[in-house]
Amino acid sequence: MKAESFTQARPATPAAHHGHPHESARLHVAGEATYVDDIRELAGTAHAALGLSTQAHARILAIELDAVRAMPGVIAVFTAADIPGSNDCGPIIHDDPILADGVVHYVGQPLFAVVADSQEHARRAARRAKVSYEPLPAVLDPLQAKAQSSFVLPPMQLVRGEPAARLAAAPRRLKGSWQVGGQEQFYLEGQISYAAPREDGCIHLWCSTQHPTEMQHVVSHALGLAANQVVVEMRRMGGGFGGKESQSALFACIAALAAARLRRPVKLRPDRDDDFMITGKRHDFHYEYEVGFDDDGRILAARIEMVARAGFSADLSGPVATRAICHFDNAYYLADVDIRALCARTNTQSNTAFRGFGGPQGAVAIEHIIDSVARELGRDPLDVRKLNFYGGEGRELTPYGQRVEDNVIHELVAELEADSAYRQRRRDIAAYNAASPVLKKGLALTPVKFGISFNVAHYNQAGALVHVYTDGSVLVNHGGTEMGQGLNTKVCQVVAHTLGIALARVRATAADTSKVANTSATAASTGADLNGKAAEDAARRIRQRLAEFVAGRHGIDADAVHFADDHVHAGAVSIPFAECVQQAYQARVQLWSDGFYATPGLSWDRSTLTGRPFYYFAYGAAVAEVLIDTLTGEWRLLRADLLHDAGNSINPAIDVGQVEGAFIQGMGWLTMEELWWNKEGRLMTHAPSTYKIPAAHDCPAEFRTRLFHNRNHEDTILRSKAVGEPPLLLGFAVLFALRDAVAAVGGGRCAPPLRAPATPEAILDAIDAVRAACAPPAAEVQS
């Protein structure tokens, strides 16, 4: 492309802080975007499938594979004995075998891998194995695991102040138990790895993963290779949501093992059912709590024990539980607290990261408690929430010791309360419910305060490469992964903004461990924060070299050189960017650079669960209005009003899309996505036919979403804020609106025991409980 064509294609809007289309939008619509399964297969490519356990917990007595090997097209079969290095793919603790060895720990655990000439042949062959088991006791319930003190990690506890004494002295107290279910990531593109052998024993791996460096590590360990012998490449994922942070490792290792042993390319793409059965989900949580409060609803002390279903191995349960502890406060000041988290070992899939990473499970608990306190007092839950917000003298410190210095929750909630006409709608709904015996409406406004950063400090770093070519086009490569969230688009915007050029000039390439090394996972909502800063650093270095070159030619100070509108401005002289680059190349000026960024000011003490784990907080709030049918438990979301703090948004169009998508995903978790295991430990909700996720008709007819104007007070990339995980918590409003509607069955006098997910069955159970609790005494009925 000639330099002139860039100028002709230059958009009217600046590169940053404006809505630009996703960099792959055209390819997505045209069906031309290349995912791992779309890569043109290399000559000799074979296909792998996995043989899975049918027992929840058992000793393997024998695996008969002769019938497998005899099936048409079968090339080889691999078991744990064929792994030359470490038979482990655990991301933190080495307790997660790639292939089961001696013992199986859940129904669906991979036992062996079959490689055949086609995927169909491999899948058919995998089902012909005969496995002999000696059953062992299986624990399927997290509370049973707790009773047996069976945990994957030591229990965690954070105590601040004197919660026991303050609870005892509180004018009012409330205690109870509750639970929220897990959630399947349900990425549209399933797990997939494609490995090809290279010279000198090296491996090239294409993998749908959020963490290429982790895949490089586990593959090198499994094959006994050095890290420099394994290259992992990832151009784009069809969704990840945390499910491809650590759990893509098993598939990567098996594809790489087969490719290395057979010296031919091997692809492993399980079908949706096998993907469901093998991989972990969002942790379901069980809560026991007690809260002390005054007559207005101000919380004086709280105690909570959170039991998370970890599954059979630790995976990422430790950091998930830590983030749940650090988000139990949500937007509320809690002076005296006792927060405990237990990671229960169960004979089910090992649970893992999911958008929010424990934060939603922690925050939803305090929202349930505050909603219950408000109903105990007969007050509007919003008033009790506002009373307990952070803010005011001596009310800025979180339970883990970080000061809330950027608190905008008061202003944000006030703006949403007014714009959504919350008070008037509350009155209108009360009148509607009084006149409607079968259909009931509910309304709720819930806030969000979400900490941004990995809670392991050294993960908060990133690198990038920026290349400027002599035609003025720019290529950027960074350590983040694109999973549809628009990360590459934002990084390109940052580079274009920094160089003062049109966004059309900049292209992002695939994440690649041979280009940017030692990357962190694209997780914890840090993708744009970290990689955007690293890319900005690289682009600034190039800009400075160009500025010094131009300044030297024109006899001015380099600080006086300005980059904007696809030109380099040096006093009265204005040079087209491409022309300036060509001149700089001829003068042997370096036109590429690396960049690096490490988030400043973070600290965390794992032994005391205190420190400053978050660089800043993102805020938001949502209002949801629902309608339920008290005869069937069916419900509908009528209207949603969302206001979210994305800082000085780099791309408002992408951010609004992320907010709305996260809200619907959070709503799905809390209302309809139900995981169910039978008494043998088999996951029965393992396909779209048995596991319901929100669809288009579940979106409200009125869906009003805005971004809150709030330039980040910390020096984030272009003063923006992360928008990946925080808005998932906006979905809380739907759950508590449903609780409000169920409470209306009893005239609002009772706190409904509504569990989550609030399926129609759960709603009917809660309605029955409210009717029983709020029924007048027998004598009163007779009179």
Side-chain angles (χ1 to χ4, degrees), residues 434-452:
S436 176
V438 173
L439 301 180
K440 299 291 184 181
K441 288 185 178 182
L443 186 72
L445 189 158
T446 58
V448 173
K449 176 183 71 65
F450 195 92
I452 303 298

Side-chain angles (χ1 to χ4, degrees), residues 199-203 216-217 220 225-231 513-514:
E199 65 180 19
D200 199 23
C202 297
I203 291 289
Q216 180 188 39
H217 289 168
S220 64
L225 301 175
N228 66 6
Q229 292 177 278
V230 180
V231 172
T513 57
S514 67

Side-chain angles (χ1 to χ4, degrees), residues 160-161 291 299-302 327-337 339 366 370 388-390 395 397-400:
R160 182 171 78 167
V291 61
I299 294 177
L300 305 176
H327 283 78
F328 173 64
D329 61 324
N330 195 18
Y332 310 110
Y333 175 71
L334 304 175
D336 296 80
V337 290
I339 309 171
I366 192 64
I370 285 185
N388 284 285
F389 280 163
Y390 278 102
R395 293 175 56 86
L397 202 66
T398 64
Y400 46 90

Side-chain angles (χ1 to χ4, degrees), residues 398-703:
T398 64
Y400 46 90
Q402 178 166 346
R403 191 166 298 280
V404 180
E405 299 171 321
D406 59 345
N407 188 10
V408 296
I409 196 64
H410 295 271
E411 301 94 308
L412 190 151
V413 167
E415 183 176 323
L416 181 62
E417 181 183 349
D419 288 350
S420 67
Y422 175 86
R423 300 293 176 178
Q424 181 59 50
R425 289 165 65 193
R426 171 65 74 193
R427 291 189 289 270
D428 293 344
I429 287 172
Y432 176 92
N433 288 339
S436 176
V438 173
L439 301 180
K440 299 291 184 181
K441 288 185 178 182
L443 186 72
L445 189 158
T446 58
V448 173
K449 176 183 71 65
F450 195 92
I452 303 298
S453 292
F454 287 101
N455 52 16
V456 177
H458 69 263
Y459 291 160
N460 296 284
Q461 59 175 299
L465 295 172
V466 173
H467 293 179
V468 177
Y469 295 98
T470 54
D471 64 351
S473 64
V474 179
L475 197 69
V476 57
N477 185 273
H478 57 88
T481 57
E482 174 63 52
M483 61 192 89
Q485 83 280 39
L487 173 58
N488 282 345
T489 308
K490 287 186 175 181
V491 171
C492 287
Q493 288 180 264
V494 167
V495 171
H497 175 81
T498 305
L499 295 176
I501 59 178
L503 180 58
R505 287 190 183 274
V506 186
R507 178 181 298 277
T509 58
D512 187 326
T513 57
S514 67
K515 292 185 172 65
V516 176
N518 309 319
T519 60
S520 296
T522 304
S525 303
T526 62
D529 281 6
L530 296 178
N531 296 288
K533 272 289 193 180
E536 180 187 54
D537 181 46
R540 279 178 172 172
R541 293 171 188 268
I542 298 170
R543 187 182 67 187
Q544 182 63 27
R545 294 185 197 124
L546 290 174
E548 290 171 357
F549 164 70
V550 172
R553 280 202 161 190
H554 295 277
I556 62 175
D557 191 89
D559 292 341
V561 178
H562 180 56
F563 293 74
D565 302 322
D566 253 357
H567 283 71
V568 181
H569 305 278
V573 178
S574 182
I575 310 165
F577 181 78
E579 182 180 325
C580 177
V581 168
Q582 182 65 239
Q583 294 172 1
Y585 165 72
Q586 293 172 357
R588 296 186 293 182
V589 174
Q590 182 179 335
L591 294 173
W592 62 269
S593 184
D594 64 316
F596 180 77
Y597 176 73
T599 309
L602 302 179
S603 64
W604 184 246
D605 186 332
R606 285 186 292 178
S607 62
T608 62
L609 299 177
T610 57
R612 187 175 189 259
F614 306 122
Y615 190 32
Y616 63 89
F617 296 100
Y619 299 87
V623 177
E625 182 178 341
V626 300
L627 178 71
I628 66 170
D629 184 331
T630 61
L631 300 180
T632 66
E634 294 175 288
W635 62 277
R636 182 172 296 280
L637 176 60
L638 301 176
R639 174 176 165 182
D641 296 73
L642 315 181
L643 182 60
H644 193 74
D645 168 26
N648 191 19
S649 173
I650 296 172
N651 191 319
I654 283 178
D655 286 348
V656 166
Q658 285 291 291
V659 170
E660 292 181 343
F663 170 80
I664 295 297
Q665 192 171 48
M667 177 188 79
W669 165 47
L670 293 171
T671 64
M672 62 186 72
E673 298 185 42
E674 187 169 32
L675 296 165
W676 180 69
W677 290 264
N678 68 12
K679 62 182 180 180
E680 285 79 36
R682 175 177 292 276
L683 179 66
M684 303 304 290
T685 49
H686 56 81
S689 59
T690 52
Y691 184 84
K692 176 175 171 52
I693 63 172
H697 69 273
D698 294 305
C699 294
E702 289 189 73
F703 204 172

Side-chain angles (χ1 to χ4, degrees), residues 191-452:
Q191 299 279 1
I192 180 170
S193 285
Y194 184 24
R198 296 296 188 231
E199 65 180 19
D200 199 23
C202 297
I203 291 289
H204 192 123
L205 177 70
W206 296 269
C207 181
S208 186
T209 181
Q210 295 171 237
H211 202 344
T213 291
E214 177 70 12
M215 300 308 105
Q216 180 188 39
H217 289 168
V218 295
V219 167
S220 64
H221 294 161
L223 300 186
L225 301 175
N228 66 6
Q229 292 177 278
V230 180
V231 172
V232 180
E233 182 180 340
M234 209 298 298
R235 173 58 183 93
R236 60 171 62 82
M237 280 171 281
F241 306 115
K244 296 176 180 175
E245 180 174 348
S246 64
Q247 299 219 343
S248 47
L250 185 147
F251 307 94
C253 288
I254 291 174
L257 168 67
R261 290 290 300 270
L262 298 174
R263 302 304 302 162
R264 63 190 293 179
V266 176
K267 181 188 289 187
L268 172 57
R269 178 174 63 83
D271 68 0
R272 183 67 67 176
D273 293 80
D274 285 355
D275 193 320
F276 259 81
M277 295 298 291
I278 295 168
T279 60
K281 329 296 178 189
R282 183 190 294 280
H283 297 67
D284 51 291
F285 270 52
H286 296 254
Y287 310 96
E288 294 285 342
Y289 63 86
E290 184 175 10
V291 61
F293 53 100
D294 63 20
D295 291 339
D296 293 322
R298 187 185 298 271
I299 294 177
L300 305 176
R303 174 192 60 79
I304 188 166
E305 181 181 81
M306 302 183 283
V307 180
R309 180 198 298 268
F312 83 96
S313 68
D315 196 83
L316 295 171
S317 293
V320 165
T322 301
R323 188 168 279 265
I325 288 173
C326 291
H327 283 78
F328 173 64
D329 61 324
N330 195 18
Y332 310 110
Y333 175 71
L334 304 175
D336 296 80
V337 290
D338 180 349
I339 309 171
R340 306 181 190 190
L342 310 175
C343 298
R345 185 190 301 275
T346 56
N347 292 111
T348 53
Q349 293 82 353
S350 188
N351 283 329
T352 190
F354 197 124
R355 194 176 194 173
F357 202 78
Q361 293 98 310
V364 76
I366 192 64
E367 292 299 337
H368 174 84
I369 290 170
I370 285 185
D371 193 78
S372 298
V373 166
R375 297 189 185 284
E376 177 78 7
L377 296 172
R379 299 195 63 191
D380 187 322
L382 175 59
D383 293 331
V384 178
R385 288 186 166 100
K386 291 166 68 173
L387 181 68
N388 284 285
F389 280 163
Y390 278 102
E393 187 65 30
R395 293 175 56 86
E396 305 93 6
L397 202 66
T398 64
Y400 46 90
Q402 178 166 346
R403 191 166 298 280
V404 180
E405 299 171 321
D406 59 345
N407 188 10
V408 296
I409 196 64
H410 295 271
E411 301 94 308
L412 190 151
V413 167
E415 183 176 323
L416 181 62
E417 181 183 349
D419 288 350
S420 67
Y422 175 86
R423 300 293 176 178
Q424 181 59 50
R425 289 165 65 193
R426 171 65 74 193
R427 291 189 289 270
D428 293 344
I429 287 172
Y432 176 92
N433 288 339
S436 176
V438 173
L439 301 180
K440 299 291 184 181
K441 288 185 178 182
L443 186 72
L445 189 158
T446 58
V448 173
K449 176 183 71 65
F450 195 92
I452 303 298

